[in-house]
Amino acid sequence: SQQGEEDPQALSIQEGENATMNCSYKTSINNLQWYRQNSGRGLVHLILIRSNEREKHSGRLRVTLDTSKKSSSLLITASRAADTASYFCATDGVQGAQKLVFGQGTRLTINP
Amino acid sequence: DAEITQSPRHKITETGRQVTLACHQTWNHNNMFWYRQDLGHGLRLIHYSYGVQDTNKGEVSDGYSVSRSNTEDLPLTLESAASSQTSVYFCASSGQGSATEAFFGQGTRLTVV
């Protein structure tokens, strides 16, 4: 079964606005990752946050992790048309598991 | 530059035929994965390998098999293709350890008619 569940399933905003996507998961994790997928392409890694971290930044991206609620959020600030894509969270498991389990993704559309 | 490539990019096959999708990576990664992507289901793990001669079933492994005879390749075989296996298939690889990013191929769009 899916480990991560993204919310919302689809999000449409104006260029320049901030976009927030949420991810909930079910079991304990070592780390959580976010990926982007442009239409018709493979997934590209954006950012990784470890289970002992609460917040991480990378350029216009900010990721938070709340292990007590088993949830994470991805914030994209000052959105651009090029940010239009699907975004997925992925989790591994504890005990050395290295496989990634993905959620269903959020489809983000940035309107010019 | 290191990369991960899938072939073919598109494939149409008939029900009941055996089909093999190729995945080749030059990252020298131990971990390799096969996922399928369908509308409404996101990415689901089919099979994965943590090294040569190691293979493991994922959540949707029925009807699929893999083998890992070297570090670079993890071919995915559909033993007897079914219409339910029409999907986009992605191969990925990652380095040792859990805190490593995965690198994805461009995907193979498979249609079973």
Side-chain angles (χ1 to χ4, degrees):
Chain A
S1 61
Q2 304 287 146
Q3 164 75 311
E5 296 291 338
E6 283 92 344
D7 172 57
Q9 291 188 3
L11 178 62
S12 180
I13 61 174
Q14 296 300 120
E15 194 167 17
E17 295 180 339
N18 295 341
T20 299
M21 289 158 275
N22 303 297
C23 168
S24 60
Y25 57 92
K26 299 174 184 175
T27 65
S28 297
I29 61 172
N30 285 320
N31 61 72
L32 183 144
Q33 303 183 38
W34 285 90
Y35 288 78
R36 182 187 73 220
Q37 183 182 33
N38 290 94
S39 182
R41 309 295 295 271
L43 279 72
V44 175
H45 180 263
L46 294 176
I47 195 166
L48 179 152
I49 186 165
R50 298 175 188 267
S51 59
N52 62 355
E53 297 175 313
R54 291 298 166 257
E55 186 171 312
K56 200 163 184 179
H57 297 254
S58 177
R60 294 185 295 112
L61 305 180
R62 182 172 78 96
V63 170
T64 62
L65 180 64
D66 186 336
T67 53
S68 67
K69 295 181 179 179
K70 291 187 171 59
S71 67
S72 173
S73 67
L74 172 67
L75 168 67
I76 303 175
T77 61
S79 63
R80 306 167 181 170
D83 295 329
T84 293
S86 292
Y87 292 82
F88 295 86
C89 68
T91 56
D92 67 351
V94 294
Q95 299 178 349
Q98 300 172 55
K99 60 180 180 178
L100 290 177
V101 181
F102 287 82
Q104 296 183 18
T106 293
R107 175 67 189 170
L108 175 65
T109 301
I110 308 299
N111 302 303
Chain B
D1 287 346
E3 60 181 1
I4 179 167
T5 55
Q6 295 182 231
S7 62
R9 293 293 312 278
H10 302 272
K11 174 79 175 177
I12 300 175
T13 191
E14 294 179 343
T15 301
R17 289 191 179 271
Q18 184 180 79
V19 177
T20 296
L21 309 182
C23 176
H24 180 81
Q25 53 99 2
T26 58
W27 292 97
N28 199 34
H29 284 159
N30 287 321
N31 304 334
M32 294 186 74
F33 311 90
W34 274 105
Y35 294 88
R36 61 178 288 175
Q37 185 174 32
D38 305 285
L39 280 174
H41 291 280
L43 279 86
R44 292 181 290 176
L45 184 62
I46 306 172
H47 281 286
Y48 58 102
S49 169
Y50 289 154
V52 176
Q53 301 301 330
D54 175 75
T55 60
N56 306 278
K57 294 181 179 180
E59 64 174 303
V60 290
S61 61
D62 287 349
Y64 304 94
S65 64
V66 294
S67 61
R68 187 88 180 271
S69 59
N70 58 51
T71 300
E72 296 81 15
D73 299 289
L74 187 70
L76 177 71
T77 298
L78 286 68
E79 304 293 344
S80 178
S83 58
S84 60
Q85 294 176 308
T86 292
S87 185
V88 180
Y89 292 85
F90 287 98
C91 179
S93 70
S94 67
Q96 197 80 27
S98 62
T100 57
E101 66 179 279
F103 294 85
F104 280 77
Q106 293 297 307
T108 295
R109 182 174 294 276
L110 177 67
T111 303
V112 183
V113 298

